[in-house]
Amino acid sequence: MNFRIGYGYDVHRLAEGEEFWLGGIKLDYHKGGVGHSDADVLIHVICDALLGAANLRDIGYHFSDQDPQYKGIDSKILLERTVALIREKGYEIGNLDVTVGLQKPKINPLIPEMVTVLSKVMRISEEDLSLKATTTEKLGFVGREEGVDAHAVALIYKVKSQSDLDQ
C-alpha cells in the first residue's frame, strides 16, 4: 500500500466577543477565534495535514483568506471539500492525531462531541480520529489566553483501483 503522512499547524488569536468554534462545535466562552473563516483552528490543522499528506499544498492555497466567498464560512465545509480533494486523488484517511493548545476554556469534556461531528464530516470511523487537549502551564501566548494553537498528523493511503485489483 502507498502510505503518506502529513502534518498541520495553525494558530488563531483569541478576542473578546468573537464566537469560539473548535472541532466543529460552538463553545460557550467570552472569547473566540479571530480569522477570515470561523477560525476553527482544529479543523484547519486537519485540513493542512490531509492536504500535505496528499501533496496538495495547504488550506490557504485552496481556500484563500483573500477570497470573500470564504468570509465567515463554517470550517466544516472546508473540511468536507478537503476530504473530497484527497479522495479525488485516490486517497483515503487512515487516521488523524490532533492536539489543541488552549489554556481556557477546558475542552476535555467536549472532545467526544467534536470527534462525533468531525468523523461524520469526513465519513470516517470515530476510532480513526484522536483529539487531545493541553495547556502550556500559563506560558506563552496560549498560556496568557491570547490565542489557541493546534497540531495534527494525518496518515492517508492510496486506494487500489479496480485495474490494480485485477492484476
Side-chain angles (χ1 to χ4, degrees):
M1 293 186 107
N2 183 4
F3 291 100
R4 297 181 65 110
I5 297 170
Y7 172 77
Y9 174 71
D10 197 20
V11 174
H12 281 279
R13 187 168 51 90
L14 294 177
E16 294 284 340
E18 296 287 336
E19 290 185 347
F20 198 170
W21 287 91
L22 190 67
I25 66 172
K26 186 177 175 185
L27 306 185
D28 184 20
Y29 196 61
H30 64 96
K31 289 183 179 180
V34 176
H36 185 71
S37 66
D38 64 6
D40 190 326
V41 69
L42 197 158
I43 289 180
H44 295 175
V45 297
I46 291 173
C47 290
D48 267 349
L50 291 170
L51 291 166
N55 197 19
L56 290 170
R57 301 195 53 176
D58 60 40
I59 191 172
Y61 177 79
H62 293 277
F63 315 110
S64 172
D65 64 2
Q66 303 301 304
D67 191 332
Q69 73 175 311
Y70 301 118
K71 179 69 176 158
I73 194 169
D74 181 338
S75 290
K76 291 187 295 294
I77 295 169
L78 303 180
L79 179 58
E80 189 173 57
R81 291 180 185 174
T82 296
V83 171
L85 286 169
I86 70 159
R87 287 186 173 136
E88 285 171 17
K89 200 167 175 186
Y91 290 100
E92 189 51 64
I93 298 168
N95 73 300
L96 293 147
D97 186 21
V98 185
T99 303
V100 176
L102 183 64
Q103 197 65 42
K104 287 184 184 173
K106 300 295 185 193
I107 62 167
N108 273 318
L110 302 172
I111 286 176
E113 182 181 357
M114 292 178 190
V115 168
T116 297
V117 167
L118 297 176
S119 61
K120 283 181 183 174
V121 170
M122 293 183 282
R123 296 185 332 264
I124 63 172
S125 167
E126 290 185 15
E127 288 295 313
D128 295 332
L129 175 59
S130 169
L131 298 182
K132 305 175 301 296
T134 189
T135 69
T136 59
E137 302 296 327
K138 300 188 179 181
L139 298 172
F141 72 91
V142 170
R144 292 188 301 271
E145 300 176 42
E146 297 169 355
V148 54
D149 72 358
H151 300 261
V153 177
L155 176 70
I156 64 173
Y157 60 92
K158 195 75 152 181
V159 178
K160 296 274 188 188
S161 68
Q162 188 59 45
S163 61
D164 291 338
L165 295 174
D166 293 337
Q167 295 178 7

